[in-house]
Amino acid sequence: MMLDSEKEPVTPEEAGPSTWTLITVTYNSAKDLRHFWAHGPPPGTRWLVVDNSSSDGSASVARGLGAEVIELGQNQGFGAANNVALRLATTDYVFFVNPDVTVAGESLPMLAEAAQSTKGLVAPQLVNVDGSPQANGRGFPFLLDKIHHRLTPNDPRVVSRYQRIASRDEMRPVCWAMGAAVGGSRELLEELGGWDERFFLYYEDKDLGLRAWGSGRPVAVVGSVRWTHGWARETTSFRWAPWRREIASMAKFYLRYPE
């Protein structure tokens, strides 16, 4: 699916909510949807929710909040579910947003302006529920830095190399942005081929960022746009299933990007 080549580009001033599709992948996310999407999607946006065969009523909750819901018969993974909705998107801009993120609708024109000016992927600066910033922008995912970051997350040497936070007055280039909130023009996302479905969960956002840069399209965090993110990563505690998925994705990623 490609944009009509004869269509006039949308100007930043015109890039209001009606030019946006928001895509959310759910898997037993009913609680997060009720909390972070309590007011539904921003007026005028199209909100597509792809449910990966939840057992907690996530699909029904999303419908009640105003989403168009696609229910999958089995858990197909994060990237594959995102691509299902991307193929249905018809608006000029598409943003992938997790169930535990609250979208500030008034900031969508600013994201459109950033996407249009950079011709790349953009992300808001995510913040915790207390307003403190999260490092959702990241540097190059060198394996040693990632291991060091997991073992000593507050080590300033790792933070300075790997974690990226945009101040309110900057648009900060990053290697990749967390998949919790990232997007851009539909044309670019289709050009990149969407998400790589070989990653069931984890590392697909790193791959998307590297592919964007590889095609000459930058990735940036827009500091003036701030969205709240609950951020409950499964691998912060030891449960074998999330770690198994992360290790599998890690192996695929570093075989593809050995450098």
Side-chain angles (χ1 to χ4, degrees):
M1 184 189 301
M2 298 297 293
L3 290 175
D4 185 343
S5 60
E6 297 182 356
K7 183 178 179 181
E8 291 295 325
V10 175
T11 66
E13 293 76 14
E14 295 170 332
S18 62
T19 65
W20 284 90
T21 296
L22 306 178
I23 295 174
T24 300
V25 174
T26 54
Y27 179 69
N28 293 336
S29 308
K31 182 178 179 181
D32 284 336
L33 289 171
R34 292 188 185 100
H35 180 76
F36 292 95
W37 294 81
H39 300 293
T45 59
R46 185 185 187 194
W47 184 28
L48 295 176
V49 170
V50 184
D51 185 65
N52 263 327
S53 193
S54 295
S55 59
D56 69 342
S58 294
S60 296
V61 171
R63 283 193 189 92
L65 292 169
E68 297 176 47
V69 179
I70 302 101
E71 296 187 59
L72 303 181
Q74 61 182 359
N75 188 348
Q76 296 186 16
F78 181 73
N82 272 324
N83 286 342
V84 168
L86 178 59
R87 289 190 286 269
L88 298 175
T90 57
T91 54
D92 293 284
Y93 296 95
V94 175
F95 223 86
F96 303 97
V97 194
N98 273 11
D100 59 353
V101 172
T102 297
V103 176
E106 69 279 3
S107 66
L108 291 176
M110 288 183 280
L111 283 177
E113 181 177 6
Q116 193 168 76
S117 65
T118 64
K119 307 300 181 186
L121 297 175
V122 293
Q125 175 57 61
L126 295 180
V127 297
N128 296 303
V129 292
D130 63 1
S132 59
Q134 294 176 3
N136 61 301
R138 297 297 173 95
F140 286 100
F142 294 115
L143 182 58
L144 288 179
D145 277 352
K146 284 191 63 62
I147 293 172
H148 197 175
H149 171 63
R150 283 302 188 90
L151 296 176
T152 55
N154 296 318
D155 187 324
R157 294 171 297 176
V158 179
V159 170
S160 64
R161 287 196 303 266
Y162 187 52
Q163 298 185 349
R164 300 286 185 268
I165 294 174
S167 64
R168 290 186 178 274
D169 60 351
E170 73 173 328
M171 185 161 57
R172 186 166 188 179
V174 297
C175 177
W176 58 280
M178 285 169 47
V182 66
S185 73
R186 178 170 58 91
E187 185 175 25
L188 169 60
L189 291 164
E190 291 174 345
E191 177 186 310
L192 293 174
W195 300 81
D196 190 326
E197 298 181 13
R198 286 171 288 187
F199 296 97
F200 182 86
L201 186 64
Y202 307 124
Y203 285 83
E204 65 283 295
D205 43 11
K206 302 171 184 63
D207 171 76
L208 184 67
L210 289 176
R211 283 192 286 118
W213 280 107
S215 67
R217 304 301 189 101
V219 184
V221 176
V222 184
S224 59
V225 177
R226 306 220 154 195
W227 294 359
T228 300
H229 179 210
W231 202 3
R233 188 180 177 93
E234 290 186 304
T235 52
T236 54
S237 61
F238 188 81
R239 290 193 296 127
W240 175 239
W243 276 103
R244 182 181 61 204
R245 293 192 185 105
E246 173 143 5
I247 291 168
S249 291
M250 180 188 297
K252 292 174 186 176
F253 181 83
Y254 288 108
L255 283 172
R256 180 175 302 174
Y257 303 102
E259 67 276 18

